[in-house]
Amino acid sequence: MTEAAPPPGAVALTGLRARARAARRTAIATLSGSLALITFSQSLAERVPARADTLPLAVLALMLFLAALPALALTQTVWGARVRAVRRRERELYASPPRTPPRALSRLSVGCGWAVTLLLGCTVPRPFRESGLYGFADAMSRVTEALALAGSAAGVCFLVWWARGAGGKPARAGRPGGSPGDPWDPDRLTRRRRGPALHTGAAVAVAALVGARAHLWEPSTLTLSALLAAVLVCGVVTDE
């Protein structure tokens, strides 16, 4: 035989890794798409000159924000569960270290994404107030203040949990170099070349949209539309 047989359990682990990658792509696409859509709708609402035209965009921004919260929670919960399944299987088979720098970077990015989403949610009442719905805007302001407090508490709990994980038990001694990769995955090299570029492009476009929403720069509406399209296209292509 010219090819070595895969280690015991490696083929099943490859399937677990594929499921975790799919959940990761979905979670990242949901996060970037939610941020892009919310910032785009809010930026358009600010640019509408007439009060009557602001209300539909304000309602759209509110609906997008309300839909983003459960979508982010669901996709990131599935992602975390699948990653934990991979880590458990790796420790069982290869005694692989459970913590790596890319994992810490992913956690930090997701935490920042949640923080920006909640900050955008705190600005949702403003276009309703500009539309003349002062009572509804005041009620929304109270809701967003409570949401901001809940988000701050969740952020503190996240940091405590992260610190406990970083100082947890050291990895067991096992296979040198950790768990093996997926040599039975024929698309792994193409994915490595394409994935980081698409994620970087989406992140840059989202940052540009958030910067425009924060009035760090004043792009045209056409530019905002192009940035939104870039985020959505990167999310769709990455999720293939």
Side-chain angles (χ1 to χ4, degrees), residues 98-99 103 107 157-171:
R99 291 175 293 274
R103 189 180 180 191
R107 288 180 175 179
C157 294
F158 172 78
L159 291 176
V160 172
W161 167 74
W162 194 0
R164 289 184 61 185
K169 296 180 181 180

Side-chain angles (χ1 to χ4, degrees), residues 117-133:
T117 302
L118 293 178
L119 286 175
L120 291 171
C122 291
T123 66
V124 167
R126 185 181 304 169
F128 287 98
R129 185 171 290 107
E130 294 174 353
S131 301
L133 301 178

Side-chain angles (χ1 to χ4, degrees), residues 39 43 202-214 216-217 219 223-224 227:
T39 52
S43 298
V204 170
V206 169
L209 286 168
V210 173
R213 179 66 185 87
L216 299 180
W217 68 309
T223 302
L224 290 178
L227 290 171

Side-chain angles (χ1 to χ4, degrees), residues 44-54:
L44 287 185
E46 283 192 340
R47 296 172 181 229
V48 174
R51 273 189 170 187
D53 297 332
T54 304

Side-chain angles (χ1 to χ4, degrees), residues 70-181:
L72 294 178
L74 177 61
T75 55
Q76 291 172 17
T77 299
V78 173
W79 177 19
R82 292 185 179 181
V83 168
R84 286 191 296 272
V86 171
R87 294 292 182 262
R88 285 195 301 268
R89 192 60 175 158
E90 284 180 339
R91 285 195 294 267
E92 292 171 358
L93 294 175
Y94 311 114
S96 173
R99 291 175 293 274
T100 58
R103 189 180 180 191
L105 181 60
S106 296
R107 288 180 175 179
L108 181 61
S109 301
V110 169
C112 292
W114 271 101
V116 174
T117 302
L118 293 178
L119 286 175
L120 291 171
C122 291
T123 66
V124 167
R126 185 181 304 169
F128 287 98
R129 185 171 290 107
E130 294 174 353
S131 301
L133 301 178
Y134 300 109
F136 184 77
D138 292 338
M140 283 294 303
S141 297
R142 290 190 291 269
V143 172
T144 54
E145 288 174 2
L147 187 62
L149 290 176
S152 300
V156 172
C157 294
F158 172 78
L159 291 176
V160 172
W161 167 74
W162 194 0
R164 289 184 61 185
K169 296 180 181 180
R172 296 173 298 174
R175 182 184 184 277
S179 63

